[in-house]
Amino acid sequence: MQSDFLFAKPFKAVFPYPTRTPWVRAMPFVVMITGIPGVGKSTITRLALKRTRAKFRLVNFGDLMFEEAVKAGLVKHRDEMRKLDPKTQRELQLKAAQKIVEIAREEPVLLDTHATIKTPVGYLLGFPREVIEVINPNFIVIIEATPSEILGRRLRDLKRDRDVETEEQIERHQDLNRAAAISYAMHSNALVKIIENHEDKGLEEAVNELVQVLDLAVSEYD
Amino acid sequence: MQSDFLFAKPFKAVFPYPTRTPWVRAMPFVVMITGIPGVGKSTITRLALKRTRAKFRLVNFGDLMFEEAVKAGLVKHRDEMRKLDPKTQRELQLKAAQKIVEIAREEPVLLDTHATIKTPVGYLLGFPREVIEVINPNFIVIIEATPSEILGRRLRDLKRDRDVETEEQIERHQDLNRAAAISYAMHSNALVKIIENHEDKGLEEAVNELVQVLDLAVSEYD
Amino acid sequence: MQSDFLFAKPFKAVFPYPTRTPWVRAMPFVVMITGIPGVGKSTITRLALKRTRAKFRLVNFGDLMFEEAVKAGLVKHRDEMRKLDPKTQRELQLKAAQKIVEIAREEPVLLDTHATIKTPVGYLLGFPREVIEVINPNFIVIIEATPSEILGRRLRDLKRDRDVETEEQIERHQDLNRAAAISYAMHSNALVKIIENHEDKGLEEAVNELVQVLDLAVSEYD
């Protein structure tokens, strides 16, 4: 496997690269974290942020869009956001993206968001081409679990007002998210990191994998 | 899930959006409908067109390319189409795309086509980047069924001269079509709508889902 | 299926196209061959090259990048490659891509490479947008096998220092490679050819499928 030289022993060494960053560009440093409801994204994110050596700013993409909309005098309440026409929404996405780049100049950003958004009339890409090009994330992390694990967690989590999906639909949504992540990587310099959050594997390992990615930011902000 | 604000209760409300349509741009309105042989695309399309409140023009992409080729004096018979060199075919695709945009200025278009085309030497993308950018569809609909359902329908439908594929090959083709749809969405404003046409679920539900998408055109052409 | 006219009987005729090749552009002629470790890519490639009527030059993308790095005085040994910063690596990828186009003007090129590369911190796209646009391959071939077949081959092949993956991880890597191939096709004129290399099917058939693709180059270099 001569062409494997770049990563000769991928899983042997946890991080055998020089401190001044292979495959992570200089600042800004942005990690997008995605995952469908029920994979455990919030829990993993919270635990990883406590443990990472790099001090990350956690930003929610939807919150940022809302802030930009309020600033522009377009809305007062969150509920009004989805009544905005798509052109306006696209502009808000771009403004939020620019804001992220601004923040990331000062400190590493962990961007809590979705790869695709399931709406009643279809899947919407979370990051259209021009938006992902502005953000240019270093990593797109997808938290995944098996459809049956996800379904189980959703059923135990009744207070959150989630729609009931079949395992087939859950699998499909995760498939589409992977394809979306590849498309986003095509329009940025991002690596796609998939973290499995399985019941038997333990949350610990999933958190560690995220910490490993986040810690790559350490050398970037001296 | 603060970032979920855009679609707070995705499956509770069938269509809780203002009439002037978020996420569907102003005219033209184009819905691409795709699906591999045996999923029931023709049947669903025919029934949905009878029921939709918006009066759609059904356009077959291959037909349109053929018409453009005849106009240009390149071919007389359909069989000659595939003997054209790829550069010429690409130009015909672009011409057909421009024609669609023209038609869609007058009335909503339902574009009957394929996400990818299986040829003896590989899968061909139905809509190269520059072609999808011209069409800029509002929706890319994929009709799907399970590989065994598709195989069953193909076997019952012997008069149509179809190649025999394994369930594995059918599954793979559907996988590639989803990835292609995501790539198309990346180069347009389209939402990706996947409609399952399962035996036990009944055709009715599949047709209703398509009608729901098509009816979004109503407010666009006053 | 009127829109099927392009490929009316896809699997009936092995290659019913005019000699001057529809859907393969004029020279240069480049076939990318990819597949994760354990699918049998090296074996199939070696056997196909012996049998094809077109005389192909086998090029390893990693080798080419290394040569360009040596020429530029950046490294002396292969191990130093991965210590280069990402910007430099990207430039080397582009130089290697240009070199391929140069070679392909003289003779057809079979490019041995990876669709995505699994690193400890995520999947890296083998061909970022600007690189695939330069190479503009005619075909992206993916050799595939079932996860259990791949795992079996890896276990029997102990001398090669491979990481141990689960079947789930193998399946996911193949999924991502398909999505990557579709993205590459979106940014080139490539057809995506998936060749299954199953135990029960026999190597012979897989080799034949590759030969069929390679033989399309015959008419291109007269």
Side-chain angles (χ1 to χ4, degrees):
Chain A
M1 302 301 295
Q2 290 177 11
S3 60
D4 273 335
F5 78 93
L6 268 170
F7 308 96
K9 299 180 181 185
F11 283 96
K12 295 293 151 59
V14 171
F15 193 59
Y17 308 101
T19 44
R20 203 70 210 163
T21 65
W23 64 67
V24 288
R25 103 204 112 164
M27 318 185 313
F29 194 93
V30 176
V31 175
M32 274 172 53
I33 187 155
T34 69
I36 66 173
V39 290
K41 184 175 69 162
S42 314
T43 310
I44 292 170
T45 300
R46 189 167 34 79
L47 293 173
L49 283 178
K50 277 185 194 161
R51 234 181 273 171
T52 178
R53 287 180 295 136
K55 208 187 159 308
F56 268 81
R57 170 112 162 247
L58 180 63
V59 176
N60 179 298
F61 196 66
D63 287 350
L64 219 53
M65 279 178 66
F66 175 57
E67 281 171 30
E68 295 298 321
V70 171
K71 260 193 244 169
L74 292 165
V75 299
K76 282 182 181 164
H77 300 290
R78 193 106 192 188
D79 285 348
E80 302 169 83
M81 286 297 288
R82 60 172 167 161
K83 294 180 189 162
L84 296 171
D85 67 277
K87 196 167 156 287
T88 308
Q89 292 208 9
R90 196 64 76 104
E91 282 162 15
L92 289 172
Q93 283 184 310
L94 265 178
K95 274 195 183 163
Q98 284 151 358
K99 183 76 188 167
I100 288 162
V101 174
E102 236 172 73
I103 299 171
R105 274 195 210 105
E106 306 301 323
E107 48 188 338
V109 170
L110 183 57
L111 185 59
D112 184 5
T113 188
H114 296 283
T116 67
I117 298 142
K118 189 170 182 177
T119 84
V121 288
Y123 295 92
L124 180 73
L125 281 187
F127 295 86
R129 193 175 21 153
E130 62 277 17
V131 179
I132 199 75
E133 283 174 359
V134 168
I135 299 178
N136 191 13
N138 301 62
F139 288 92
I140 298 160
V141 176
I142 309 179
I143 314 280
E144 291 193 357
T146 65
S148 71
E149 287 168 334
I150 291 171
L151 207 56
R153 286 177 200 149
R154 288 185 184 177
L155 291 173
R156 285 194 297 273
D157 187 19
L158 287 174
K159 63 187 177 304
R160 290 169 79 163
D161 199 15
R162 286 170 176 165
D163 53 297
V164 178
E165 289 187 288
T166 63
E167 292 198 14
E168 184 190 356
Q169 290 169 330
I170 290 172
E171 190 181 355
R172 190 172 56 214
H173 197 173
Q174 293 200 124
D175 282 349
L176 292 172
N177 282 348
R178 291 174 187 182
I182 291 289
S183 278
Y184 297 157
M186 201 68 186
H187 291 272
S188 68
N189 294 316
L191 270 77
V192 175
K193 175 67 183 173
I194 296 180
I195 296 177
E196 293 165 34
N197 183 24
H198 294 313
E199 303 291 352
D200 59 343
K201 171 186 159 188
L203 190 62
E204 192 60 21
E205 198 179 322
V207 174
N208 279 342
E209 288 181 44
L210 181 54
V211 168
Q212 226 174 82
V213 167
L214 297 179
D215 276 350
L216 292 177
V218 170
S219 57
E220 294 297 314
Y221 295 79
D222 295 335
Chain B
M1 300 304 294
Q2 289 178 10
S3 59
D4 273 335
F5 76 94
L6 268 168
F7 309 97
K9 298 181 181 184
F11 283 96
K12 296 292 152 59
V14 171
F15 193 58
Y17 307 102
T19 44
R20 203 66 211 164
T21 65
W23 66 70
V24 290
R25 102 205 113 163
M27 316 184 318
F29 194 93
V30 177
V31 174
M32 275 172 53
I33 187 155
T34 69
I36 65 173
V39 290
K41 184 176 66 163
S42 312
T43 311
I44 291 170
T45 299
R46 189 166 35 80
L47 293 173
L49 283 179
K50 278 185 195 160
R51 231 180 278 170
T52 179
R53 287 179 295 137
K55 206 185 159 308
F56 268 81
R57 169 112 163 248
L58 180 63
V59 176
N60 179 298
F61 197 66
D63 288 351
L64 219 52
M65 279 178 66
F66 175 57
E67 281 172 29
E68 294 298 321
V70 171
K71 261 193 242 168
L74 292 166
V75 299
K76 282 181 183 164
H77 300 289
R78 192 106 194 190
D79 285 347
E80 302 169 83
M81 285 297 286
R82 60 171 166 161
K83 294 181 188 162
L84 296 171
D85 67 276
K87 197 167 156 288
T88 307
Q89 292 207 8
R90 195 65 76 105
E91 284 162 14
L92 290 171
Q93 282 184 311
L94 266 177
K95 274 194 185 165
Q98 284 152 358
K99 183 76 187 168
I100 288 161
V101 175
E102 236 173 72
I103 299 171
R105 273 197 210 103
E106 306 301 323
E107 49 189 337
V109 169
L110 182 57
L111 185 59
D112 184 5
T113 188
H114 296 283
T116 67
I117 299 143
K118 190 171 183 177
T119 85
V121 289
Y123 295 92
L124 180 73
L125 282 187
F127 295 86
R129 192 176 21 153
E130 62 276 19
V131 179
I132 199 75
E133 283 174 0
V134 168
I135 300 177
N136 191 13
N138 300 62
F139 288 92
I140 299 161
V141 175
I142 309 179
I143 313 282
E144 291 194 358
T146 65
S148 71
E149 288 168 334
I150 291 171
L151 207 56
R153 286 177 199 149
R154 288 185 184 177
L155 292 172
R156 285 195 298 273
D157 188 19
L158 286 174
K159 62 185 177 305
R160 290 171 78 165
D161 198 17
R162 284 170 176 168
D163 52 297
V164 178
E165 289 187 288
T166 63
E167 292 197 14
E168 185 191 354
Q169 290 169 330
I170 289 172
E171 190 182 357
R172 191 173 52 217
H173 196 172
Q174 293 200 124
D175 282 349
L176 292 172
N177 282 348
R178 292 173 187 182
I182 291 289
S183 278
Y184 297 156
M186 201 68 186
H187 291 271
S188 67
N189 294 318
L191 269 77
V192 175
K193 175 66 184 174
I194 297 180
I195 296 177
E196 294 166 34
N197 182 23
H198 294 313
E199 304 289 353
D200 60 343
K201 171 187 159 186
L203 190 61
E204 191 60 22
E205 198 179 323
V207 173
N208 278 343
E209 287 180 45
L210 181 55
V211 168
Q212 224 174 84
V213 167
L214 297 180
D215 276 350
L216 292 178
V218 170
S219 56
E220 294 297 315
Y221 295 79
D222 296 335
Chain C
M1 303 301 295
Q2 291 178 11
S3 60
D4 273 335
F5 76 94
L6 267 170
F7 310 96
K9 298 181 182 185
F11 283 97
K12 295 293 153 58
V14 172
F15 193 59
Y17 308 102
T19 45
R20 204 67 212 163
T21 65
W23 65 69
V24 289
R25 103 206 112 162
M27 315 186 318
F29 193 93
V30 177
V31 175
M32 275 173 51
I33 187 156
T34 69
I36 65 173
V39 290
K41 182 176 69 163
S42 313
T43 310
I44 292 170
T45 300
R46 189 166 35 80
L47 293 173
L49 283 179
K50 278 186 194 161
R51 233 181 275 171
T52 178
R53 287 179 295 136
K55 208 185 158 307
F56 268 81
R57 169 111 163 247
L58 180 63
V59 176
N60 179 298
F61 196 67
D63 288 351
L64 218 54
M65 279 178 66
F66 176 56
E67 280 171 30
E68 294 297 322
V70 171
K71 261 193 243 170
L74 291 166
V75 298
K76 282 181 182 165
H77 300 288
R78 193 106 194 189
D79 285 348
E80 301 169 84
M81 285 298 287
R82 60 172 167 160
K83 295 181 189 162
L84 296 171
D85 67 276
K87 197 166 155 287
T88 307
Q89 292 207 9
R90 195 65 75 106
E91 283 163 15
L92 290 172
Q93 283 184 310
L94 265 178
K95 275 195 182 163
Q98 284 152 358
K99 183 77 189 169
I100 287 161
V101 174
E102 238 173 70
I103 298 171
R105 274 195 209 104
E106 306 301 323
E107 49 188 337
V109 169
L110 182 57
L111 186 60
D112 184 4
T113 188
H114 296 283
T116 68
I117 298 142
K118 190 171 181 177
T119 85
V121 288
Y123 295 92
L124 181 72
L125 281 187
F127 295 86
R129 191 177 22 153
E130 62 277 17
V131 179
I132 199 74
E133 284 175 358
V134 168
I135 299 178
N136 192 12
N138 301 63
F139 288 92
I140 299 161
V141 176
I142 309 179
I143 314 281
E144 290 193 357
T146 65
S148 71
E149 287 168 335
I150 291 171
L151 207 56
R153 286 178 200 149
R154 287 184 184 178
L155 292 172
R156 286 193 299 273
D157 187 19
L158 287 175
K159 63 186 177 303
R160 289 170 79 164
D161 199 16
R162 285 169 177 167
D163 53 296
V164 179
E165 288 187 288
T166 63
E167 292 196 14
E168 184 190 356
Q169 290 169 331
I170 289 172
E171 190 181 356
R172 189 172 56 214
H173 196 173
Q174 293 199 125
D175 282 349
L176 292 172
N177 282 348
R178 291 174 188 182
I182 291 289
S183 277
Y184 298 157
M186 201 66 187
H187 292 271
S188 67
N189 294 315
L191 269 76
V192 175
K193 175 66 184 174
I194 296 180
I195 296 177
E196 293 166 35
N197 182 24
H198 294 313
E199 303 291 352
D200 59 343
K201 169 187 161 188
L203 191 61
E204 192 61 20
E205 197 179 323
V207 173
N208 279 343
E209 288 181 43
L210 181 55
V211 168
Q212 226 175 82
V213 167
L214 297 180
D215 276 350
L216 293 178
V218 170
S219 57
E220 293 297 315
Y221 295 80
D222 294 335

